Amino acid sequence: MNSHGTGEKPAASVKILARDVNVHYGDKQALNDVCVDVDDNAVTAFIGPSGCGKSTFLRCLNRMNDSIESCRVEGRIELDGESIHDRSLDPVQLRARVGMVFQKPNPFPKSVYDNVAYGPRIHGLVSSNQELDELVEASLRGAALWDETRDRLREPGTGLSGGQQQRLCIARAIATSPEVLLMDEPCSSLDPIATSQIEELIHNLREKYCVVIVTHSMQQAARVSQKTAFFHLGWLVEFNDTNEIFTNPRDERTESYITGRIG
Amino acid sequence: MIEKEHIHSAFDRDLHNLQSSVMRMGGLVEASIINTSRALADNDEELARKIVDDDQLIDGLESEVNLAALELLALRQPIAQDLRFVFAVLKIATNLERIGDYSKNMAKRTTVLLKTPPPNGAVASIRRLSHSVQVLLKDSLDSFAERDAEKAREIIVRDRDIDLMYNSLFREFLTYMMEDPRSITPAMHLHFMAKNLERAGDHITSVSEQVIFQVTGEMPKDDRLVEDTTSYEAVSMGAVN
């Protein structure tokens, strides 16, 4: 408990604000009027059945959908109060600020070191080899992978175990000092031990980052997130504190989904 | 209330079995209260002893419920309404077990009353209170089975009547004792029986609170009037006359 102050919870600052987001793939509408405030220094989980639009929405947050020809995104998405669709904003710069980790670990076919050094090199974030060494070490430490790879930095990243590869991808994502980390089912191809390690990492990452995670595991959302959003058939059905969602959801559709009933 | 089935049908079966065990337990407790009242009215020592023995069945069912609930938590990881259900079941089972204990205690006192007959009319007063408690218990079990939060709320209100009945019995028994010191032993036993029934009412209220929580997700605020005022009662010989 806070011994000074009013004892009230400080209002979390909103990192990402989305208003009336509609997404179409060709004629098919994938998302309808999604409005969300994503808190900074918190983990927000998106849950929902396959095809509900949660990954589509995640990919809107760093304009990953731009590369899909038929995809049309409407509505307002702001990062720190600035529209991410602003003409003056370079999507490459945006993706440096909003990093992404995918379902399957996808290290580059390079050494452990070069995987992490790749982003800082292309974005020109370091001016000397020593600085780069320090950044690689800090990123690997940040991804809880340093102790396991400090003697294997020159070995190929693809030679690591699945869980290590995923942490390598997280190290690669945080090497560019992003503000937001998007994770699309980061543990779905990992065993329970590696999953626990990633979850512990996610829990710690929120001290420095705004983390958004898409997951099919209800228990995972419950374990790692502070806020949970439930998507269904392209609609954001319910968005609330995670403990509320899992003890007393307000919407019948949320209740049916999370308790494993036929929707 | 959602009556949709789980995709895992075995999950529904587990939840259903848990509910059945609690209802069976409730049925035994209800029977125990009815039988105690009957044993008291008929001076039936054999029945009173059977009630004492049968309390083991209630205790056994409580253990069964606890174990089944624990397994369900471990194996199925229930959440939302399912989690609230398991939580409620655990608390309701504890409450029912306690009510069973109160009834057993009353049965034991009944065997003493066979040797020291109570004043006329006193037994009838206890039986009226016992009947009210038994009906309250039955209704609270119904509210659990039907997942009816409204019915559960009514029960909490009705428990006030039990408190009021206990208050007047308390005074009635005091009067007997003051009028005739020979009635102290039976009147004291009857008073403890009345107190047991009043406490049973409080546990029934707790059952109803669990039903409300299970159904609505909100714990009812504890703003009910507690009508049992005997804790503050001071009696002098002059006061009653």
Side-chain angles (χ1 to χ4, degrees), chain B residues 121-176:
Chain B
V123 166
S125 302
I126 284 286
R127 291 196 74 199
R128 271 196 300 280
L129 179 59
S130 171
H131 179 70
S132 297
V133 168
Q134 176 249 316
V135 173
L136 202 67
L137 174 61
K138 179 186 171 298
D139 289 348
S140 82
L141 290 168
D142 286 348
S143 76
F144 169 68
E146 294 157 15
R147 308 192 174 194
D148 187 339
E150 270 319 301
K151 194 177 245 179
R153 282 199 184 89
E154 284 167 22
I155 287 157
I156 295 176
V157 175
R158 277 163 56 196
D159 180 48
R160 281 185 214 162
D161 296 337
I162 304 284
D163 289 352
L164 291 171
M165 285 172 83
Y166 166 69
N167 286 353
S168 75
L169 278 184
F170 178 79
R171 293 206 182 80
E172 185 184 326
F173 295 150
L174 267 182
T175 312
Y176 290 135

Side-chain angles (χ1 to χ4, degrees), chain A residues 218-219 245-253 255-256 258-263, chain B residues 2 4-8 11-12 15 77 79-84 216-218:
Chain A
M218 242 79 72
Q219 278 76 21
I245 293 275
F246 287 98
T247 56
N248 191 14
R250 301 294 191 263
D251 195 287
E252 208 177 291
R253 289 166 291 175
E255 177 99 46
S256 287
I258 63 171
T259 58
R261 288 177 165 81
I262 296 160
Chain B
I2 301 175
K4 280 182 201 155
E5 292 172 349
H6 284 93
I7 298 164
H8 280 281
F11 192 175
D12 280 327
L15 290 170
Q77 291 110 38
I79 44 182
Q81 58 166 309
D82 300 330
L83 180 60
R84 299 202 304 268
T216 67
E218 313 278 348

Side-chain angles (χ1 to χ4, degrees), chain B residues 5-240:
Chain B
E5 292 172 349
H6 284 93
I7 298 164
H8 280 281
S9 54
F11 192 175
D12 280 327
R13 209 158 50 234
D14 288 353
L15 290 170
H16 180 78
N17 288 344
L18 201 51
Q19 171 154 332
S20 300
S21 297
V22 171
M23 291 307 287
R24 214 158 60 239
M25 209 181 153
L28 287 181
V29 174
E30 213 186 312
S32 173
I33 293 174
I34 293 171
N35 286 335
T36 302
S37 180
R38 189 173 296 150
L40 184 63
D42 301 347
N43 290 327
D44 189 340
E45 189 170 5
E46 200 180 322
L47 182 57
R49 295 202 189 285
K50 184 174 173 338
I51 294 161
V52 174
D53 289 343
D54 283 357
D55 187 57
Q56 288 172 8
L57 299 175
I58 297 170
D59 293 353
L61 263 176
E62 191 208 6
S63 304
E64 208 175 282
V65 167
N66 285 347
L67 203 64
L70 201 68
E71 276 180 12
L72 204 137
L73 288 170
L75 303 181
R76 305 239 176 248
Q77 291 110 38
I79 44 182
Q81 58 166 309
D82 300 330
L83 180 60
R84 299 202 304 268
F85 171 77
V86 178
F87 180 81
V89 157
L90 282 167
K91 294 206 144 198
I92 289 171
T94 304
N95 279 302
L96 291 176
E97 190 273 331
R98 292 300 297 274
I99 299 170
D101 281 352
Y102 286 130
S103 188
K104 177 172 79 170
N105 182 271
M106 289 170 66
K108 284 181 184 168
R109 293 181 190 281
T110 300
T111 58
V112 179
L113 288 171
L114 292 170
K115 297 170 189 97
T116 52
N120 277 341
V123 166
S125 302
I126 284 286
R127 291 196 74 199
R128 271 196 300 280
L129 179 59
S130 171
H131 179 70
S132 297
V133 168
Q134 176 249 316
V135 173
L136 202 67
L137 174 61
K138 179 186 171 298
D139 289 348
S140 82
L141 290 168
D142 286 348
S143 76
F144 169 68
E146 294 157 15
R147 308 192 174 194
D148 187 339
E150 270 319 301
K151 194 177 245 179
R153 282 199 184 89
E154 284 167 22
I155 287 157
I156 295 176
V157 175
R158 277 163 56 196
D159 180 48
R160 281 185 214 162
D161 296 337
I162 304 284
D163 289 352
L164 291 171
M165 285 172 83
Y166 166 69
N167 286 353
S168 75
L169 278 184
F170 178 79
R171 293 206 182 80
E172 185 184 326
F173 295 150
L174 267 182
T175 312
Y176 290 135
M177 289 188 271
M178 285 173 172
E179 281 174 351
D180 181 1
R182 283 171 301 178
S183 72
I184 286 178
T185 296
M188 280 303 290
H189 281 293
L190 287 171
H191 167 252
F192 278 119
M193 291 170 92
K195 186 67 195 166
N196 282 345
L197 287 166
E198 187 274 327
R199 290 294 299 141
D202 292 344
H203 284 282
I204 295 167
T205 293
S206 174
V207 169
S208 306
E209 286 170 348
Q210 294 311 318
V211 172
I212 294 169
F213 172 69
Q214 181 208 328
V215 175
T216 67
E218 313 278 348
M219 261 303 178
K221 289 194 191 74
D222 190 18
D223 54 0
R224 70 199 168 96
L225 285 166
V226 176
E227 300 281 4
D228 170 12
T229 55
T230 56
S231 304
Y232 300 105
E233 209 84 28
V235 182
S236 65
M237 283 305 279
V240 176

